[in-house]
Amino acid sequence: MESTSELPDDCSLVLDEEEKESLALKNFKEAIAEIEGHFTHKAKLRSRIHATIQNRPEESHFSKLDSSIKKNTAFVRKLKNFTEAQKESILKDINTLNLTKYISEVANAIVEAKLKMTDIASILQVCVVLHEKYVDFAPQILEAWQKVLSLKKDEKISNPSKMRVDVRFYADLISCGVLTPKEGLPLLGSFLTNLIHGDKEEHNSATIILAFCKFCGEDYAGLVSQKLLNDAERFKIAIPTSNWLPADKRQNVRNLLREYYTSLCKHLTQDHKELQNFERQNRRILQTKGELSNERKEKQEILNQSFTKLLNMTQQFADILAEELPELRQDLSPRDEECSVLELCENMSDQARETLNELLWENEEGRQFYESLPNLSVYLPNLIPKVTAETLPPPDPVEQMIDIEKEAKEIEEGEQVKDEGDEDIKPAELEDEKEDADVPVSLQSNKVLLDSFLTTLTACVNREMIDSAAIEFSTNLNTKHNRKKLVRALFTVQRTRLDLLPFYSRLVATLHPYIPEVATDLCNFLRQDFKYHVRKKDQINIETKVKIVRFIGELTKFGMYPRADALQCFKQLLLNFAHHYIEMTCHLLETCGRFLLHQPDSHQRTKVYLDQMMRKKSMLASDSRYLTMIENAYYQVVPVDSSARSSHIKIRPPLHQYIRQLLFVELGNKGSTNKILKQLRKLNWKDPEVASYAVRCLTSAWKVKFPNIRTLAGVVAELTLYQEFVGHRIVDAVLEDIRWSLEFPISKFNQRRVSMAKYLAELYNYRMVESSVVFKVLYTCITFAVSFDYNIESDLDQPDNLMRLRLVLTILDTCGVFFSSGLSKKRLDYYLVYLQYYYLFKRSLPIWTDDNPFPVAIDFGIKDMLLTLRPKLKAYKTLQEAADAVENLEKELMNKLSQAMPELQMDVVLADDTLACIEEEDMEEGEEMREVDDDSINDEQSLSRSMSQMTTRGETTQPDEDTHNVEASRICNARKWLDANMSHLLQDDRCVVTAPRKALCPEDDDFMAALDRMVAENIHDAYTRGKEVSKPPAVDIAIPWQVKASLKRPDGSDKNFLGDSIGGELGGALAVAEASSACAAIASSPPSAVHDNPTVNFFLMTRKGNKPQFKNLAVPSDSELAQNLRNREEAEKAEKERVKKLTLDFNERQEEEEFQDLYGGVNRPAVHNVNRDRRGRFQHPKGVPDAELIFGGARKNR
């Protein structure tokens, strides 16, 4: 039985295949016959024309025809409006009219006629008849076509639809024989060539070329469609071809068309890739922002339309030219999650759909409550439903994603969109009870039943009771008047009975299929009352407002209140997100937020609104109660996956968390600074791990709110008083972070860079850093890796990167007001010149145009900063003015430097090993050191006093360590250093010159050997003196007697000069320096010399062999050597005076005390001690000291 049942099925399949095969063969033969008929028809027309033109009628024939102007012009007009229906009448007119004098007008009318593709065969027949009858017709129509088809290079076609018909018409005129190939083909070939070569990019003329291939491709290129080729290969039947045109010319046309098809395929591939990229961008934008601009939506529609049109044309070209379609690669990148719910709703399985439906409700009982409603038709069979369930079409995912743009933008900007009649919104007004008087007497009994029903309605607190109430109302109380009273009772539910709202909503949903007026009226009342409370913006009746939004949420879950309207309420609350509206929003989300989020048509909009709500929550300055309510509502709608959340949480030790809580959360609160400081002091700072983490948190100023950075700096300053190393490490870390930000200008760290600059300035305000450090950072911001050449672009300071200017403005706005006096004031004046030059250079870069203007915030920031710090300073307006100011400033500083140190003007530049080449023996004994006179230079404006006062980063070098040779070599090295470090000199008011490093030379070894010998001799002499008490080493060396004897007073007297000098032997000093030979300087400083002469006389003692030699040396009185000597003498004198005063004061005080004791003893009354005589005087044992004699001498005297 099974075999017999299967046999007919197999036979039917075989029969079906045979029928399909025979039908395909029949269609193929019909197509072949059509092609052969087309070729035969064209060949017959060509042979007919060729035979007819040889026997054209003579002129006498035309004289018998009608030559009236009226009929001929009417004929021409008829040709201009030619249609296929006019063919017979036109052919009849040709036989009756003499058109000899109107051939040119006839040809132009035929060319200018607006024809359709279906009119081509008829107009061809008319042209053939005219060509057979009139000799001048062919030349005239060719001339007319030349005007139409003469296409220049890159010329656009104004009317492509007409040109599509004209090209086919002209090609058929040639193939039919009206125009010979020799006459017509050059024009057609030039037209196609120019059209194809000029349209390889945009392909606007693809329809013209496609029409030519479809209707004329067989004649001019031998084109056969891919389908015919496949059928011919399958049925082994040859396809006829036309031999009218030579094979080489057909091949040329075919190559030209294939070249155009190749460019069309490239265009299609490019458009497809662009469309995919644009769709990917739109998905990303929707995922991040939840909105698309109108421009992007319009552009997407345009791209879709153009791609569809281009794909259709490419498919037609591929079929006609028998070519393969290009491969369009689909975007295999993972799709974003913004379309997840919408796409799942269309393509998910039944099991997945059930899983999605489970997301709408918290449990099965809730789903049954909101979805399983009683069917009233079971109880009332005659009751006809008035509302039919409308099946809405599935929403378009793209449309659902892009429709929310306007709402999201309004919420972001906080704009309130007013609807019509918003200003006249009033609270919902219910009908008065006066209407009861109009009720007929027969219906008065129903009033009692309705009142009883409404009274028991408040007790319906479960599903069975509310379902019974719905059945009772629909069976016994369903009248128009009762329906209105029911709506009023439902709407006026007590504001404290929020538990009744779900049951009342179920009642409305149950009645809705048969009594839709209840749901409609109730929703209108709720909508109107909601708008009234939103527009009123009062802070009262919060319970009523909560009742309204919760009622709306419950009706939304039953489908009675439209989801779009519920989302509109959500949007209106977000626009007024403050105070009571926050509570209303939270109650709305707790009621129906989960339902709206998991519905396909409201998912995306709800998601965007939730994101907007959380953004507004982060900007709220409300109390913690509102913040907690918002978070609870949000996480009730979007529950957090605890497993996924815990995987991203970084677990820190409790102590680390406590430190972060103190610095990043509690810092800035009122009265918290002292508490935080006390807690930080209690940390175990001896533990390296704890100290390192605390310092790192104290350094992370970008994690603190910007206004609290000042407080953080204050905490650091106070903490440094107890833990000194903390301040050093924090300042180092801040400077390192600023330097790192300049070396790696990453835009995402801009906020961090500004915070650290602010932090550094605040640390300066708390005296944690010096002004020199701040100015070094300021100069680094405008000089480090900066290119002032327009042709050279720095990678670390891009032309459009203005962050360095923002850092400078942040620092100066914070601590610039303290640079108002002394050295820091002049430093700031110098720096502002360079800052203006950098700012104007940035502003003059060609990147800033009218379309991309220079940020006005920087302009205003510079102006405000200059106005605050230097109100009287005139800002430079052009870059040239700033450049001139910089040049003048550098010249001024160089002049001051040359005046302070004339040695820098030496023309002889010594090598780096100059110290090793100088020998003391080559110097003349009478050579004196160069005198440096800088008395006229102000202390604040001088760059340096002399080379003896050179400093190394603020540390003064000792003048007694330099000899004449070392001095000369340092001058030359200082000149080299000055040329390489001019920018540092411009930063400071005082010249800060780095002393050259000591160069090792053989003379140093000789000096150290001589020093060792001298020390050994001194030790030996001290040992030989035995127990002789050695005096403390004298600070000064006694002047040799022969020098004292030679000294005379300046006034010429013979009295010893040093005898009257201040301090006696203190007037001389010996300085020993590490040089090529040992030398000592012995000086005297008489008062007269100090006052009369600007120099102080020193004696330079040198040793040549074992014989000392003395030379007089004049040293400026304000040099460091003379100043140190004078200061030391004054200090010793002041110390002597202080000791003398203390001694005298002590003596005077002792004498006064003795006088007071003596005076008091005389005036004291005498007291007789009766016990004194009764007891004998105590006799001290032998050897025991007498205490009264030792301690009580003064009292005994009294």
Side-chain angles (χ1 to χ4, degrees):
M1 293 297 295
E2 293 179 358
S3 61
T4 56
S5 62
E6 291 177 357
L7 184 60
D9 294 338
D10 295 339
C11 294
S12 62
L13 291 175
V14 172
L15 292 176
D16 291 342
E17 292 180 357
E18 290 180 355
E19 289 179 359
K20 291 180 181 179
E21 192 73 14
S22 61
L23 182 60
L25 179 60
K26 180 181 178 181
N27 294 334
F28 176 68
K29 288 183 179 180
E30 290 178 356
I32 295 296
E34 184 179 355
I35 295 174
E36 291 178 348
H38 174 76
F39 290 158
T40 304
H41 176 68
K42 292 291 182 69
K44 288 181 179 179
L45 284 177
R46 288 194 295 272
S47 60
R48 169 187 165 185
I49 291 174
H50 181 71
T52 307
I53 58 176
Q54 303 296 332
N55 300 320
R56 285 194 176 99
E58 299 178 355
E59 294 181 0
S60 58
H61 173 74
F62 295 107
S63 61
K64 299 178 182 178
L65 301 177
D66 190 356
S67 303
S68 61
I69 298 176
K70 182 178 180 181
K71 291 185 178 182
N72 284 317
T73 53
F75 179 76
V76 172
R77 286 196 302 269
K78 190 181 295 185
L79 285 176
K80 288 184 179 180
N81 301 319
F82 181 83
T83 58
E84 188 178 6
Q86 296 176 342
K87 182 184 71 171
E88 297 297 334
S89 63
I90 289 177
L91 292 177
K92 183 178 179 181
D93 292 339
I94 293 174
N95 294 327
T96 58
L97 295 177
N98 182 9
L99 302 173
T100 305
K101 298 180 180 180
Y102 300 95
I103 288 299
S104 60
E105 287 82 354
V106 170
N108 291 329
I110 293 175
V111 172
E112 294 174 1
K114 296 181 180 179
L115 304 175
K116 299 179 182 179
M117 287 294 181
T118 55
D119 300 334
I120 298 298
S122 302
I123 196 66
L124 276 177
Q125 190 174 354
V126 173
C127 292
V128 168
V129 173
L130 289 173
H131 179 60
E132 291 175 350
K133 198 168 185 180
Y134 297 97
V135 180
D136 298 334
F137 177 75
Q140 292 295 334
I141 199 170
L142 179 61
E143 183 179 355
W145 279 119
Q146 287 176 350
K147 297 178 183 179
V148 175
L149 299 179
S150 295
L151 186 65
K152 298 180 181 179
K153 186 177 181 181
D154 297 334
E155 182 180 355
K156 303 296 181 182
I157 297 176
S158 59
N159 192 355
S161 59
K162 184 178 185 306
M163 185 60 68
R164 184 169 60 249
V165 181
D166 290 347
V167 170
R168 180 194 173 185
F169 183 20
Y170 180 75
D172 286 346
L173 287 176
I174 300 174
S175 61
C176 290
V178 176
L179 296 176
T180 60
K182 185 177 181 180
E183 296 174 348
L185 285 180
L187 179 61
L188 181 62
S190 63
F191 174 78
L192 292 176
T193 303
N194 294 334
L195 184 65
I196 290 175
H197 288 171
D199 194 43
K200 287 185 177 180
E201 298 294 334
E202 299 179 356
H203 299 93
N204 293 327
S205 304
T207 55
I208 300 174
I209 301 174
L210 182 62
F212 174 80
C213 295
K214 187 180 296 185
F215 297 103
C216 306
E218 298 172 350
D219 296 329
Y220 289 89
L223 300 180
V224 181
S225 65
Q226 186 66 40
K227 182 180 179 181
L228 287 179
L229 289 177
N230 296 336
D231 292 343
E233 183 179 359
R234 184 172 59 175
F235 298 118
K236 308 299 182 182
I237 299 176
I239 299 176
T241 57
S242 175
N243 298 325
W244 166 71
L245 205 63
D248 56 344
K249 292 185 179 181
R250 283 184 295 172
Q251 186 63 36
N252 293 336
V253 177
R254 192 181 301 112
N255 293 338
L256 188 65
L257 296 175
R258 287 177 177 173
E259 181 181 356
Y260 186 77
Y261 174 73
T262 303
S263 65
L264 186 64
C265 292
K266 291 181 180 179
H267 190 185
L268 179 67
T269 306
Q270 182 179 358
D271 280 10
H272 181 256
K273 187 181 298 184
E274 181 181 359
L275 179 61
Q276 286 189 332
N277 292 337
F278 194 77
E279 290 178 349
R280 190 184 306 111
Q281 293 175 4
N282 286 348
R283 291 197 301 268
R284 189 176 298 112
I285 291 173
L286 284 171
Q287 182 182 7
T288 55
K289 295 179 61 179
E291 58 185 13
L292 284 177
S293 61
N294 292 328
E295 291 77 6
R296 296 193 71 86
K297 289 190 290 184
E298 294 175 358
K299 186 176 180 180
Q300 185 175 12
E301 293 178 0
I302 293 173
L303 288 176
N304 285 327
Q305 293 176 1
S306 62
F307 175 75
T308 304
K309 181 179 178 181
L310 195 63
L311 178 62
N312 187 20
M313 288 190 298
T314 307
Q315 292 174 347
Q316 296 183 36
F317 266 107
D319 182 62
I320 293 173
L321 298 177
E323 298 287 342
E324 295 292 336
L325 272 173
E327 182 181 0
L328 300 178
R329 297 182 179 180
Q330 297 296 327
D331 186 11
L332 300 179
S333 61
R335 295 180 63 85
D336 300 326
E337 63 179 3
E338 77 278 354
C339 303
S340 57
V341 175
L342 299 179
E343 293 174 351
L344 282 174
C345 290
E346 295 182 358
N347 304 319
M348 66 174 57
S349 61
D350 293 338
Q351 183 178 1
R353 191 181 298 275
E354 292 179 1
T355 304
L356 179 60
N357 289 333
E358 291 178 358
L359 297 175
L360 295 174
W361 318 109
E362 296 181 359
N363 47 44
E364 181 63 22
E365 183 180 357
R367 189 186 69 82
Q368 291 289 338
F369 180 81
Y370 287 100
E371 291 185 351
S372 300
L373 301 177
N375 188 5
L376 297 182
S377 61
V378 176
Y379 305 95
L380 297 174
N382 297 329
L383 197 61
I384 301 175
K386 297 182 179 180
V387 179
T388 58
E390 298 181 358
T391 57
L392 298 176
D396 186 5
V398 178
E399 292 296 331
Q400 288 294 320
M401 288 186 294
I402 65 179
D403 281 345
I404 63 172
E405 177 197 6
K406 183 177 179 181
E407 290 83 355
K409 186 178 296 184
E410 291 172 0
I411 296 173
E412 185 71 23
E413 297 176 357
E415 296 179 357
Q416 183 70 35
V417 180
K418 293 186 178 181
D419 299 332
E420 295 182 1
D422 279 349
E423 297 180 355
D424 299 333
I425 290 179
K426 298 180 180 179
E429 296 179 357
L430 302 176
E431 296 180 357
D432 298 333
E433 296 291 340
K434 294 185 298 182
E435 295 182 357
D436 294 342
D438 300 333
V439 179
V441 178
S442 59
L443 299 179
Q444 288 292 338
S445 59
N446 289 335
K447 180 178 182 301
V448 178
L449 296 177
L450 180 63
D451 292 340
S452 176
F453 172 79
L454 297 178
T455 302
T456 58
L457 195 62
T458 57
C460 298
V461 291
N462 57 44
R463 187 168 61 181
E464 291 75 13
M465 295 178 67
I466 202 68
D467 292 344
S468 301
I471 297 172
E472 180 182 356
F473 182 84
S474 60
T475 53
N476 302 325
L477 302 171
N478 186 12
T479 63
K480 181 179 180 180
H481 177 71
N482 291 344
R483 288 195 292 268
K484 290 183 180 180
K485 295 197 69 175
L486 176 63
V487 171
R488 180 169 52 195
L490 295 176
F491 179 72
T492 57
V493 62
Q494 295 182 13
R495 61 179 182 273
T496 57
R497 295 297 305 273
L498 300 180
D499 59 308
L500 294 177
L501 299 181
F503 302 104
Y504 283 6
S505 300
R506 182 178 174 88
L507 172 65
V508 174
T510 305
L511 298 176
H512 180 66
Y514 305 95
I515 313 174
E517 296 87 353
V518 176
T520 304
D521 294 344
L522 181 59
C523 290
N524 290 335
F525 287 147
L526 291 173
R527 187 181 295 110
Q528 185 177 358
D529 213 35
F530 174 82
K531 290 183 178 181
Y532 167 75
H533 286 292
V534 169
R535 293 296 178 188
K536 192 175 181 181
K537 296 183 179 180
D538 56 1
Q539 300 302 319
I540 58 176
N541 301 329
I542 181 60
E543 294 180 347
T544 303
K545 298 175 182 177
V546 170
K547 181 198 74 173
I548 292 173
V549 294
R550 293 192 74 92
F551 213 158
I552 290 175
E554 294 294 342
L555 289 173
T556 302
K557 288 195 286 188
F558 279 102
M560 299 297 100
Y561 199 90
R563 288 190 287 270
D565 293 347
L567 288 173
Q568 185 67 20
C569 295
F570 191 9
K571 172 191 168 185
Q572 293 296 328
L573 293 173
L574 289 178
L575 290 173
N576 304 277
F577 202 59
H579 304 295
H580 284 186
Y581 302 111
I582 297 178
E583 296 191 34
M584 295 171 68
T585 305
C586 296
H587 283 284
L588 182 63
L589 288 179
E590 291 173 0
T591 307
C592 64
R594 183 189 184 99
F595 178 80
L596 293 175
L597 182 63
H598 295 93
Q599 285 292 336
D601 57 345
S602 60
H603 166 74
Q604 189 62 30
R605 184 172 286 124
T606 307
K607 181 181 177 182
V608 172
Y609 289 172
L610 289 172
D611 295 340
Q612 295 288 347
M613 182 186 70
M614 298 306 291
R615 288 199 193 105
K616 286 182 174 290
K617 173 242 177 186
S618 62
M619 295 184 292
L620 282 178
S622 303
D623 54 6
S624 58
R625 185 175 67 91
Y626 285 139
L627 300 180
T628 305
M629 289 179 62
I630 295 173
E631 291 180 355
N632 292 340
Y634 178 80
Y635 289 115
Q636 185 172 351
V637 176
V638 186
V640 180
D641 187 0
S642 59
S643 60
R645 185 179 181 183
S646 60
S647 61
H648 297 286
I649 295 177
K650 183 178 180 180
I651 301 176
R652 296 184 176 91
L655 182 59
H656 292 186
Q657 295 181 15
Y658 182 65
I659 295 174
R660 295 175 66 89
Q661 174 73 16
L662 289 176
L663 297 178
F664 300 154
V665 179
E666 296 184 7
L667 185 67
N669 296 339
K670 186 176 181 180
S672 63
T673 305
N674 293 332
K675 172 193 171 184
I676 293 173
L677 183 60
K678 290 180 181 179
Q679 297 302 320
L680 291 178
R681 286 175 55 192
K682 293 179 182 178
L683 296 178
N684 185 13
W685 291 98
K686 295 182 180 179
D687 187 355
E689 182 181 357
V690 175
S692 177
Y693 189 81
V695 169
R696 188 171 66 181
C697 292
L698 289 169
T699 307
S700 303
W702 65 90
K703 296 181 180 179
V704 181
K705 291 184 179 180
F706 195 77
N708 296 338
I709 294 179
R710 175 179 300 177
T711 309
L712 181 63
V715 171
V716 172
E718 292 291 334
L719 188 61
T720 307
L721 299 178
Y722 306 97
Q723 304 293 337
E724 187 176 355
F725 73 95
V726 172
H728 302 319
R729 292 179 60 179
I730 289 176
V731 171
D732 291 342
V734 170
L735 295 176
E736 182 67 23
D737 192 273
I738 295 176
R739 178 73 177 193
W740 176 85
S741 66
L742 295 178
E743 293 178 355
F744 300 95
I746 305 174
S747 59
K748 71 176 182 178
F749 295 119
N750 285 346
Q751 184 177 359
R752 173 175 178 172
R753 299 164 72 183
V754 174
S755 299
M756 296 306 286
K758 171 82 171 177
Y759 195 25
L760 176 65
E762 294 293 352
L763 289 175
Y764 170 78
N765 293 343
Y766 281 97
R767 298 184 179 181
M768 295 292 295
V769 295
E770 299 293 336
S771 61
S772 58
V773 177
V774 177
F775 277 103
K776 184 177 180 180
V777 173
L778 290 173
Y779 274 102
T780 304
C781 290
I782 63 175
T783 57
F784 177 70
V786 176
S787 174
F788 289 99
D789 189 353
Y790 290 102
N791 299 324
I792 301 176
E793 183 176 316
S794 175
D795 295 335
L796 302 183
D797 187 34
Q798 296 290 334
D800 57 344
N801 188 0
L802 303 177
M803 181 49 62
R804 296 193 178 200
L805 285 174
R806 297 184 187 275
L807 297 180
V808 171
L809 291 176
T810 301
I811 295 175
L812 292 180
D813 290 342
T814 305
C815 64
V817 293
F818 299 104
F819 302 143
S820 57
S821 62
L823 185 60
S824 59
K825 177 181 179 183
K826 192 162 289 294
R827 285 179 176 177
L828 181 59
D829 292 338
Y830 292 161
Y831 178 75
L832 291 179
V833 177
Y834 286 94
L835 176 61
Q836 291 185 76
Y837 177 72
Y838 177 77
Y839 158 68
L840 292 173
F841 175 78
K842 277 283 190 180
R843 207 180 192 287
S844 64
L845 292 175
I847 191 175
W848 308 113
T849 59
D850 295 337
D851 297 333
N852 183 28
F854 191 81
V856 293
I858 300 296
D859 290 334
F860 293 153
I862 293 291
K863 293 178 182 179
D864 294 343
M865 181 268 297
L866 294 177
L867 185 62
T868 303
L869 301 182
R870 296 294 184 267
K872 298 181 181 180
L873 179 64
K874 184 178 180 181
Y876 306 119
K877 297 182 179 179
T878 61
L879 180 63
Q880 186 61 36
E881 292 182 5
D884 295 340
V886 171
E887 185 177 358
N888 295 335
L889 177 60
E890 291 179 354
K891 288 181 180 179
E892 178 185 354
L893 295 176
M894 286 300 297
N895 292 336
K896 291 182 180 181
L897 186 61
S898 61
Q899 293 176 9
M901 292 186 295
E903 292 81 359
L904 295 179
Q905 302 297 329
M906 296 173 58
D907 296 330
V908 180
V909 180
L910 301 178
D912 293 338
D913 57 351
T914 307
L915 287 174
C917 298
I918 295 179
E919 296 182 2
E920 186 177 352
E921 288 75 12
D922 296 339
M923 297 175 57
E924 298 181 1
E925 294 180 358
E927 182 180 2
E928 297 179 358
M929 297 178 66
R930 181 179 298 245
E931 180 181 345
V932 181
D933 185 8
D934 55 350
D935 292 340
S936 60
I937 301 177
N938 192 306
D939 289 340
E940 288 187 358
Q941 298 178 353
S942 62
L943 297 177
S944 176
R945 291 190 175 276
S946 63
M947 287 304 296
S948 64
Q949 291 177 311
M950 291 184 183
T951 57
T952 304
R953 297 189 181 275
E955 298 178 359
T956 307
T957 59
Q958 296 296 330
D960 56 350
E961 295 180 359
D962 299 331
T963 62
H964 179 77
N965 298 334
V966 179
E967 189 96 356
S969 62
R970 285 187 177 182
I971 292 173
C972 299
N973 290 334
R975 183 177 181 181
K976 293 181 180 180
W977 178 90
L978 183 63
D979 295 337
N981 299 272
M982 190 61 195
S983 62
H984 296 286
L985 293 176
L986 295 176
Q987 295 180 23
D988 299 330
D989 193 36
R990 182 176 297 277
C991 176
V992 181
V993 184
T994 303
R997 295 181 179 178
K998 173 186 174 184
L1000 299 178
C1001 56
E1003 287 77 2
D1004 293 339
D1005 299 335
D1006 298 339
F1007 173 77
M1008 294 302 297
L1011 180 62
D1012 293 339
R1013 286 195 302 269
M1014 184 178 66
V1015 172
E1017 291 175 0
N1018 292 337
I1019 294 174
H1020 179 71
D1021 294 342
Y1023 179 75
T1024 56
R1025 285 195 296 268
K1027 297 182 179 181
E1028 181 181 358
V1029 180
S1030 59
K1031 297 182 180 180
V1035 180
D1036 298 327
I1037 299 177
I1039 301 176
W1041 64 269
Q1042 61 269 27
V1043 179
K1044 285 185 178 181
S1046 62
L1047 290 176
K1048 302 294 182 181
R1049 270 187 171 278
D1051 55 1
S1053 62
D1054 296 333
K1055 191 173 182 180
N1056 193 337
F1057 180 80
L1058 292 178
D1060 297 336
S1061 61
I1062 299 176
E1065 292 184 353
L1066 293 176
L1070 178 65
V1072 180
E1074 294 181 6
S1076 59
S1077 62
C1079 64
I1082 305 170
S1084 63
S1085 55
S1088 59
V1090 175
H1091 294 289
D1092 299 337
N1093 298 328
T1095 61
V1096 178
N1097 291 329
F1098 281 79
F1099 282 90
L1100 181 66
M1101 183 177 68
T1102 60
R1103 179 180 298 172
K1104 197 168 185 180
N1106 292 328
K1107 182 179 180 180
Q1109 295 183 358
F1110 303 95
K1111 295 296 181 182
N1112 188 12
L1113 179 64
V1115 177
S1117 60
D1118 58 351
S1119 65
E1120 190 171 357
L1121 183 60
Q1123 290 287 351
N1124 289 340
L1125 180 61
R1126 187 180 295 109
N1127 294 339
R1128 187 178 63 188
E1129 291 176 353
E1130 292 177 356
E1132 291 177 354
K1133 183 178 178 181
E1135 181 65 20
K1136 287 183 179 181
E1137 293 292 337
R1138 188 181 67 85
V1139 174
K1140 181 179 179 181
K1141 186 176 184 303
L1142 289 175
T1143 304
L1144 294 175
D1145 292 343
F1146 178 75
N1147 293 334
E1148 292 177 357
R1149 186 167 59 254
Q1150 188 175 8
E1151 292 176 357
E1152 184 178 359
E1153 289 177 357
E1154 292 178 354
F1155 175 78
Q1156 292 293 339
D1157 291 340
L1158 180 60
Y1159 180 77
V1162 173
N1163 296 331
R1164 185 183 304 118
V1167 178
H1168 180 71
N1169 189 357
V1170 296
N1171 296 324
R1172 186 176 182 88
D1173 297 335
R1174 296 178 184 177
R1175 184 176 57 180
R1177 185 176 181 183
F1178 179 77
Q1179 297 294 330
H1180 292 283
K1182 186 178 181 179
V1184 178
D1186 189 358
E1188 291 185 0
L1189 294 176
I1190 297 174
F1191 301 102
R1195 293 187 177 182
K1196 185 177 181 180
N1197 293 334
R1198 294 174 193 159

